[in-house]
Amino acid sequence: MFRCLSFFISLAAVTNLYATHYDGNIYTLSYDGANSLSISSSLKTCGDGPSWLTFDSPTRTLYCSDHSGNASMNGLLSSYSVSRDGSLKELANTVDVGAAVHSTIYGGKDAHKKYLAIAHYGGSTLSTFTLPLSPDEKALQIFRYRMSQPGIKPEQDASHPHQVILDPTGDFILVPDLGADKVRVYTINQHSGRLNACPSLNYTAGSGPRHGLFWKSSPSDVARAPVTMLYTVSELSGRFNAFAVSYLSSGCLGFRETQSFVPYPGGKLPAKATPAALLMAGNSIYASIRFDQGHPPNDSLSVLTRSPNGTVTFSQLTSSHGTVPRTFSINKKGTLLAIGCQASSNVAIVKRDLESGKLGNLVANLQVGQPGQASNSSTGLSSIIWEE
């Protein structure tokens, strides 16, 4: 009897993660809740370079975007049903603009349809699709971005959308554009899913905003006026920026910068080091730092602490347990952080302290596919998510 009980407890502790690799595979990873992380299956799918996964938990549907192609050479958008054992079954795929790097689900308010918005770095494009995805479905909208002239940094040869961010109300989408030194802003029509442009948030030339996230103060904090903040990291300037967000009578957003600093000890990044992704849990914000070799031979994560008024301070620099950390994901309990390192092509799971937000010991580490090349952004591990 006790042996059976132990078996079921162990089974319940197992959770699945999914990783994409530029080798053309989606990998299902199994974590036993202790210190064992393994590949349970892989599926050759999602075009030549699977780059980003978005999981719709209520429908247990996984969406995968393809990095291959560009504005004229098309990539692929695919959807999959996710079984309880972690296996995937393809439901539909369709042609999309190429060079996709990030996506998010929006809509779904008041029983309206859901939609997927996809940022295409090399394609200089934002595309949207109605969900659930149908085979050979056409995009709902495609926004093609053009710059009158290149930016001041070599990486700014064209518009380079790098992420899609949904605001706390679910009524706005933001798109950091590394090439154009701006965050593009759109309102969402909840009935049709269509996006309408608002004035952008502009950055100093050469900043290269890459990723961001929103934070909204708790309604229970009656001692303070409600606060909504936008936090971003810029790849080219290496800076973390904070903006107080206001919802304007025009129906668009206003931004007031409140902070700008380099999220690294001493306020200075090593040569060639760049911040890449942002993630928030509780009062903590995590920024991946690529190419710093801060924990030789590994790169780093910066842990930042947010105060109740939205002010952010540096707290901790910890190892990413790999090279070129590209993506990370926190489990539902908030006790574990999975880090996907692109060049070393490994997934590392570390402990996270619920109270302080600080990151602790490495509990599991797994090589997934072949290592990539630090100098080639189209090789190696490209994304990692928990199935929660």
Side-chain angles (χ1 to χ4, degrees):
M1 175 180 170
F2 292 108
R3 189 175 298 171
C4 289
L5 182 61
S6 173
F7 169 78
F8 285 118
I9 291 174
S10 174
L11 201 63
V14 173
T15 56
N16 294 317
L17 299 91
Y18 297 92
T20 53
H21 194 289
Y22 285 133
D23 64 6
N25 284 285
I26 300 178
Y27 291 89
T28 301
L29 313 181
S30 179
Y31 176 60
D32 71 350
N35 57 10
S36 176
L37 181 64
S38 60
I39 297 174
S40 55
S41 64
S42 63
L43 185 64
K44 194 81 170 177
T45 184
C46 192
D48 294 329
S51 65
W52 190 261
L53 295 173
T54 301
F55 183 55
D56 185 25
S57 182
T59 63
R60 295 192 61 77
T61 305
L62 190 69
Y63 296 92
C64 179
S65 292
D66 178 16
H67 189 267
S68 60
N70 53 37
S72 57
M73 297 172 58
N74 292 324
L76 204 64
L77 172 63
S78 306
S79 64
Y80 310 85
S81 63
V82 180
S83 68
R84 294 294 175 181
D85 66 2
S87 59
L88 304 178
K89 179 183 178 182
E90 185 170 304
L91 298 173
N93 67 63
T94 191
V95 172
D96 190 12
V97 178
V101 290
H102 191 274
S103 67
T104 196
I105 293 171
Y106 68 97
K109 294 176 71 172
D110 302 322
H112 290 301
K113 283 182 174 291
K114 294 180 182 179
Y115 305 88
L116 189 71
I118 306 159
H120 303 268
Y121 182 91
S124 301
T125 301
L126 174 73
S127 64
T128 65
F129 286 83
T130 304
L131 301 182
L133 190 69
S134 300
D136 301 318
E137 183 175 335
K138 301 298 182 184
L140 177 65
Q141 285 178 291
I142 296 178
F143 298 88
R144 299 188 186 277
Y145 305 129
R146 300 286 184 265
M147 293 166 53
S148 58
Q149 61 184 27
I152 65 173
K153 298 285 182 71
E155 298 89 342
Q156 297 180 307
D157 57 324
S159 172
H160 291 308
H162 217 301
Q163 189 195 19
V164 185
I165 312 166
L166 188 64
D167 91 306
T169 69
D171 289 325
F172 294 88
I173 273 180
L174 275 62
V175 183
D177 190 329
L178 184 149
D181 284 323
K182 62 179 62 178
V183 172
R184 302 178 186 274
V185 181
Y186 296 91
T187 61
I188 299 169
N189 183 316
Q190 298 292 343
H191 294 277
S192 67
R194 298 183 71 85
L195 307 181
N196 297 293
C198 279
S200 297
L201 168 60
N202 296 316
Y203 285 66
T204 302
S207 294
R210 176 184 169 110
H211 273 216
L213 55 83
F214 279 96
W215 169 73
K216 183 178 180 180
S217 62
S218 170
S220 62
D221 189 0
V222 294
R224 301 177 184 275
V227 176
T228 299
M229 302 294 298
L230 171 69
Y231 301 118
T232 67
V233 285
S234 293
E235 178 178 326
L236 304 183
S237 68
R239 302 192 74 82
F240 174 94
N241 294 86
F243 302 90
V245 180
S246 54
Y247 291 81
L248 306 177
S249 58
S250 64
C252 290
L253 297 180
F255 303 93
R256 178 176 58 85
E257 185 176 271
T258 59
Q259 283 184 280
S260 178
F261 64 92
V262 175
Y264 204 81
K268 185 177 181 180
L269 286 164
K272 298 184 179 180
T274 64
L278 274 184
L279 185 66
M280 183 172 63
N283 296 326
S284 296
I285 298 172
Y286 305 92
S288 60
I289 308 294
R290 307 177 303 168
F291 308 112
D292 80 317
Q293 297 284 284
H295 298 77
N298 299 321
D299 292 327
S300 304
L301 299 183
S302 280
V303 183
L304 311 175
T305 301
R306 178 192 47 74
S307 69
N309 69 359
T311 301
V312 175
T313 55
F314 176 82
S315 175
Q316 177 193 27
L317 189 74
T318 184
S319 177
S320 68
H321 302 283
T323 53
V324 190
R326 178 184 175 90
T327 175
F328 37 46
S329 180
I330 293 176
N331 70 337
K332 195 172 183 179
K333 291 181 180 179
T335 55
L336 297 169
L337 175 70
I339 308 163
C341 291
Q342 184 174 358
S344 51
S345 197
N346 68 299
V347 175
I349 296 180
V350 298
K351 289 184 178 180
R352 177 181 177 271
D353 185 88
L354 277 172
E355 201 164 314
S356 69
K358 290 192 174 182
L359 302 180
N361 295 334
L362 177 71
V363 296
N365 194 16
L366 177 68
Q367 178 81 42
V368 180
Q370 292 298 310
Q373 302 170 16
S375 60
N376 187 342
S377 62
S378 297
T379 63
L381 191 81
S382 50
S383 72
I384 179 75
I385 59 169
W386 295 88
E387 181 208 306
E388 293 182 312

